[in-house]
Amino acid sequence: HISHNASQLNSVLRLVESGFGISLLPRSTGIGFKLKLKFIPLLKTTESVPLIMITRKGNFSPALSHLKSHLSEIL
C-alpha cells in the first residue's frame, strides 16, 4: 500500500527516516547525508540502472572531455 510518494531525493530520505516506509536507491545515496537510516545492499541482483550523459552541443571543455573519456573506460 503506497501512502506517500516523493520524487525529490531529500524528501524520500526524510520520509524513510521518519518511518514512512522504505526506498530502493543507488548505493551512493548515503554518502554525504547525516541520516538515521540503515543502508542495506541488495546482494545477488542482476538489476541495473542505465546511465545517461547529456551535454550541450559544441561544448569543448577539457573537463567534459576528460569525464567522457573516463566514463567510456569504466562502463
Side-chain angles (χ1 to χ4, degrees), residues 37-67:
L37 295 173
K38 181 175 183 178
F39 290 85
I40 303 169
L42 299 177
L43 305 175
K44 299 181 182 179
T45 181
T46 58
E47 298 298 321
S48 64
V49 177
L51 178 63
I52 300 169
M53 181 175 182
I54 301 172
T55 64
R56 186 174 26 125
K57 281 186 179 181
N59 186 343
F60 301 108
S61 161
L64 177 59
S65 177
H66 179 72
L67 177 60

Side-chain angles (χ1 to χ4, degrees), residues 48-53 67-75:
S48 64
V49 177
L51 178 63
I52 300 169
M53 181 175 182
L67 177 60
K68 285 180 183 179
S69 176
H70 177 72
L71 290 175
S72 62
E73 287 175 14
I74 63 171
L75 298 177

